[in-house]
Amino acid sequence: MSQADPFYITTAIDYANGAPHIGHVYEKILADAIARYQRLAGREVFFLTGTDEHGEKIAKAAAKAGQTPQVFVDDLSLRAFKGLWDRLDIGYDDFVRTTEGRHKRFVQDILQRVYDAGDIYFDEYEGLYSVGAERYVTEKELVEGSDGVRRYPGDKDPPELRREANYFFRMEKYQAWLLEHIRQNPDFIQPAGYRNEVLEMLKEPIGPLSISRPKSRVPWGIELPWDADHVTYVWFDALLNYVSAPVSKGERPDVIGTAWHVIGKDILKPHAVFWPTMLKAAGLPAYRRLVVHSHILAEDGRKMGKSLGNAIDPEALVDQYPTDAIRYTLLREATLSADSPYGEGILVSRLNSDLANDLGNLLSRTISMIQKYRGGAIPAAQELTDREREIEAAALALPGQILTLVDELKINMAIEAAMNFVRDLNRYIAESAPWNLAKSEDTARRLDTVLYTAAEGLRVASVALEAVIPAKARDLRAQLGLGGQSYTLAAAWGLTPAGTRVQGGAILFPKPEPKAQEPTAATEAPAPAPKATKPPKETPMTQTEPAPAAPAATPTVPEQPLISIDDFARIDLRVAEVLAAEAVPKADKLLKLTVRLGEEERTVVSGIRTWFEPESLVGRKVILVANLKPAKLRGIESQGMILAAEDDQGNLDLVGLRLDLPSGTKVR
């Protein structure tokens, strides 16, 4: 790493006693996105992940599988974990395994240093031992299950009462220091709720930490350098990977002082209490920041589990959906401070709405228009209006906005900022109507400006989203003719050279084949929103908003079942006049319209915000399905549906009238 402005980030190393789950996937994607944002900001980054391969649980799992522990962890580490991270485009710089010689040597060096300082002693201990957590637990940490049995959270079995002689680390010696360090450094543990949780832990005595197991009982571990009859307790082994790996690459041990650790909330105590006191005893600085994330829930808000039949198989997910769609949807839906629902329904909704419609459709229509109207060459912008200046100002402000949100760990809000820029580009295209500008030589210069603004805006968006969808961001630029170009996340506009020939290519995000009929903008009936046990506070989820279907490459009239005149007569189509229009708060695509049907007024919620500013609709006559069953959208009862149509470039318009007919007139 460069010493000028180093950024060191780690994930927790995964315990190699079973296949990875969706929580592992989220953590790696989260850390990878943060690392990529920092690289885009121009920083030298070192990103570490890996596997934890010692301990009692692994020895038992290997025996059950009829394998030696080493063979067992070799398969899981390289195939199940590292193989999956590679498929998900996790850009780690090092993958550490605790069975590697470089790690073992460092662990023994640190153990000897702390032992020589008098902070490790031998004693006999009796207490409740959690095999799941691989540590002694207190009675206060146990919770009562539905069967009346008290267990450590996450364990299948109750703790065992054990009495054995072990080596202990004088952890309580550093309790006062740790308490003061957390108080003096508010960002040390984030989000703040977890910081407060650790402060509560430190109000009680933390006692010594058992750091060894008799080799006669647990032979699978790193031997203590001064006593070959004992192996290192798993946490005093595993946590040291955060220093052993960079040191093996030539870094100084104090590089740990720059580290951000990204972990799940279930291992908060070892990372927030054990680890900093271990570093202090070893004469090393505390890490820079502990980033704690919550759990991923099933779509219905329940906890995931194989026994419940609602667990997500990450390998199957990657087999079925684009890698960048998985990355985007997990990061967009999850918040750090609250458990977040996720599943295929949410993934497909986000994929169709944000990635296929908003981003992918913008790219395809822009390239199509440049090819159609300018022979495939991006034209130079001519005279600018206030609207182009507004887009340029937004583009220049976007990098700073995103990096601030990333530093505040509001990754989903950083993504939303980038997507809001994309949505504004879509509105700009709809407002500017380049297909109309192309009809006259008098508006040729205006058309040039619109096409350049769209292309350059897409380039800006690709950089803003590159940490989240790295492969597709590069693909987007390649389709614009900017393949091979890399950019930093810095304020810039006008970096797309005029005359660049667009290349085009495959649809950026193809929509998956629906497993069942899905709602579209025409139906304006969203899928039911998943219920989270703790809804995110930072930014709303919008996966339930209606979105227009992406246009087919060649417009066709799909075959539909024939209906009778009686069937058609059941649909009550009426002329309606828009009296008022306003954006629905916290909804990207919805407008709330007040319409008049003769003497009656109604409220209609319509997914047309991408194409129409609210004020432009007031006074307009539209066609309304007047006898549609009311439905609630974002808590607003919608009493009808407005008819709309879409061309082959994704431009949507409302079905209207040539004559100024009175509102309430029946359409037949």
Side-chain angles (χ1 to χ4, degrees):
M1 287 183 291
S2 165
Q3 297 303 310
D5 190 21
F7 184 81
Y8 176 28
I9 186 167
T10 80
T11 69
I13 54 173
D14 300 310
Y15 201 56
N17 69 326
H21 55 66
I22 196 66
H24 293 123
V25 170
Y26 170 60
E27 179 175 296
K28 303 310 176 289
I29 291 173
L30 173 63
D32 182 60
I34 294 173
R36 289 177 184 271
Y37 278 123
Q38 296 298 334
R39 289 191 185 101
L40 286 167
R43 300 182 72 178
E44 186 85 15
V45 173
F46 185 72
F47 173 24
L48 176 69
T49 189
T51 44
D52 175 8
E53 302 178 10
H54 289 129
E56 186 174 355
K57 284 192 296 184
I58 285 177
K60 288 182 176 180
K64 186 176 180 180
Q67 298 175 330
T68 66
Q70 189 66 59
V71 169
F72 182 78
V73 296
D74 283 349
D75 175 65
L76 277 173
S77 178
L78 299 177
R79 176 189 54 79
F81 287 95
K82 190 174 185 292
L84 183 59
W85 306 156
D86 291 343
R87 293 187 70 190
L88 286 165
D89 204 5
I90 306 299
Y92 54 83
D93 296 292
D94 195 3
F95 187 95
V96 65
R97 300 178 60 192
T98 57
T99 53
E100 292 178 301
R102 59 171 175 163
H103 176 73
K104 292 180 181 179
R105 290 188 293 272
F106 186 82
V107 168
Q108 290 184 324
D109 287 346
I110 292 295
L111 280 167
Q112 191 68 58
R113 182 188 306 181
V114 177
Y115 180 74
D116 291 345
D119 282 341
I120 293 176
Y121 65 96
F122 190 73
D123 199 2
E124 194 171 76
Y125 181 81
E126 181 177 86
L128 296 172
Y129 186 80
S130 162
V131 176
E134 299 227 48
R135 68 178 177 90
Y136 286 98
V137 296
T138 64
E139 186 68 36
K140 288 178 65 175
E141 292 181 279
L142 306 183
V143 294
E144 187 171 316
S146 57
D147 56 1
V149 177
R150 293 176 62 79
R151 299 176 178 84
Y152 183 75
D155 282 3
K156 294 180 180 178
D157 302 312
E160 304 170 359
L161 183 64
R162 287 187 179 180
R163 182 180 183 87
E164 62 185 15
N166 294 327
Y167 285 90
F168 290 82
F169 165 55
R170 300 184 192 276
M171 187 166 63
E172 75 284 351
K173 176 179 174 180
Y174 301 100
Q175 181 171 356
W177 163 81
L178 178 58
L179 185 61
E180 185 62 18
H181 183 79
I182 295 172
R183 286 172 175 166
Q184 293 295 322
N185 296 275
D187 290 343
F188 185 60
I189 301 170
Q190 291 292 317
Y194 296 114
R195 174 179 180 269
N196 295 335
E197 190 175 326
V198 175
L199 288 173
E200 287 298 315
M201 291 179 194
L202 294 174
K203 289 181 180 179
E204 303 288 337
I206 59 174
L209 177 66
S210 173
I211 67 159
S212 75
R213 298 291 179 267
K215 195 173 181 181
S216 58
R217 185 170 67 79
V218 185
W220 184 240
I222 300 174
E223 291 181 357
L224 299 183
W226 64 87
D227 188 344
D229 291 333
H230 281 254
V231 297
T232 314
Y233 161 63
V234 67
W235 285 111
F236 216 98
D237 164 7
L239 292 165
L240 284 165
N241 89 89
Y242 301 133
V243 190
S244 69
V247 165
S248 73
K249 301 290 186 180
E251 293 291 335
R252 291 166 50 89
D254 60 8
V255 71
I256 191 63
T258 69
W260 285 26
H261 295 317
V262 180
I263 66 159
K265 67 179 182 179
D266 51 338
I267 50 175
L268 174 62
K269 186 173 183 178
H271 282 81
V273 179
F274 301 176
W275 180 222
T277 55
M278 288 165 55
L279 288 169
K280 185 69 172 176
L284 295 174
Y287 50 80
R288 171 68 182 85
R289 181 180 286 190
L290 187 65
V291 179
V292 187
H293 65 81
S294 297
H295 291 162
I296 302 297
L297 303 174
E299 283 187 84
D300 60 5
R302 293 188 302 160
K303 183 178 179 181
M304 284 191 193
K306 291 182 179 178
S307 60
L308 298 174
N310 61 357
I312 296 174
D313 179 355
E315 291 281 359
L317 202 67
V318 177
D319 287 341
Q320 188 169 357
Y321 296 102
T323 292
D324 280 353
I326 297 170
R327 292 173 59 99
Y328 177 92
T329 52
L330 266 173
L331 292 172
R332 179 60 186 83
E333 291 297 328
T335 58
L336 297 186
S337 56
D339 293 347
S340 304
Y342 187 74
E344 286 193 65
I346 292 174
L347 189 160
V348 169
S349 181
R350 279 279 178 207
L351 169 55
N352 288 345
S353 173
D354 294 14
L355 298 176
N357 288 338
D358 290 341
L359 182 61
N361 197 34
L362 175 63
L363 175 65
S364 63
R365 68 201 295 206
T366 298
I367 288 176
S368 175
M369 288 186 293
I370 291 171
Q371 290 172 331
K372 184 175 181 179
Y373 304 137
R374 292 296 179 262
I378 299 174
Q382 305 300 319
E383 297 82 5
L384 304 182
T385 68
D386 287 345
R387 188 69 172 97
E388 282 82 44
R389 294 188 184 94
E390 179 184 275
I391 291 173
E392 180 178 344
L396 293 173
L398 187 59
Q401 184 182 2
I402 286 174
L403 291 174
T404 296
L405 289 168
V406 170
D407 191 63
E408 295 172 353
L409 300 172
K410 298 174 181 176
I411 309 301
N412 54 352
M413 295 180 70
I415 294 170
E416 187 63 7
M419 289 307 299
N420 280 337
F421 180 75
V422 169
R423 294 180 190 112
D424 191 46
L425 286 175
N426 275 302
R427 283 192 290 272
Y428 170 71
I429 293 292
E431 296 161 4
S432 304
W435 45 92
N436 289 333
L437 297 175
K439 294 176 181 178
S440 171
E441 282 298 318
D442 294 340
T443 51
R445 292 174 65 83
R446 178 70 190 142
L447 177 59
D448 286 347
T449 299
V450 171
L451 294 178
Y452 183 85
T453 301
E456 173 63 359
L458 275 163
R459 183 201 65 80
V460 170
S462 77
V463 180
L465 290 166
E466 186 169 341
V468 181
I469 52 170
K472 293 295 186 180
R474 293 189 294 270
D475 184 15
L476 186 157
R477 291 199 293 269
Q479 292 200 34
L480 286 174
L482 302 172
Q485 296 292 320
S486 59
Y487 304 90
T488 60
L489 190 57
W493 181 262
L495 300 186
T496 299
T500 300
R501 300 199 66 81
V502 297
Q503 301 299 309
I507 295 173
L508 196 65
F509 283 99
K511 290 189 175 184
E513 290 295 325
K515 295 182 179 179
Q517 186 172 357
E518 296 180 351
T520 66
T523 65
E524 296 186 5
K531 296 179 180 179
T533 52
K534 295 181 181 178
K537 296 179 181 178
E538 295 164 353
T539 186
M541 291 186 292
T542 58
Q543 73 273 8
T544 62
E545 295 167 10
T554 303
T556 59
V557 179
E559 293 184 5
Q560 299 289 346
L562 296 175
I563 64 173
S564 70
I565 190 66
D566 293 332
D567 293 327
F568 178 74
R570 295 173 58 198
I571 305 172
D572 186 11
L573 298 177
R574 299 277 177 168
V575 176
E577 181 183 0
V578 180
L579 302 178
E582 60 182 287
V584 176
K586 299 182 179 180
D588 300 329
K589 300 179 176 62
L590 300 183
L591 290 180
K592 175 186 174 184
L593 308 177
T594 302
V595 301
R596 177 188 290 130
L597 279 79
E599 299 301 317
E600 179 189 0
E601 290 188 8
R602 292 192 185 184
T603 297
V604 176
V605 179
S606 183
I608 57 175
R609 185 174 170 184
T610 299
W611 293 270
F612 297 98
E613 293 297 330
E615 57 271 16
S616 70
L617 295 171
V618 177
R620 185 163 177 171
K621 298 286 182 69
V622 296
I623 305 301
L624 183 78
V625 181
N627 63 338
L628 191 68
K629 183 178 179 181
K632 275 202 171 183
L633 303 175
R634 290 283 172 157
I636 304 169
E637 185 173 67
S638 182
Q639 302 165 302
M641 181 179 71
I642 292 172
L643 298 187
E646 188 177 23
D647 70 11
D648 61 354
Q649 294 179 356
N651 305 300
L652 183 139
D653 201 1
L654 301 178
V655 175
L657 303 163
R658 183 172 61 84
L659 300 177
D660 187 16
L661 299 176
S663 66
T665 300
K666 185 172 179 62
V667 178
R668 53 188 176 83

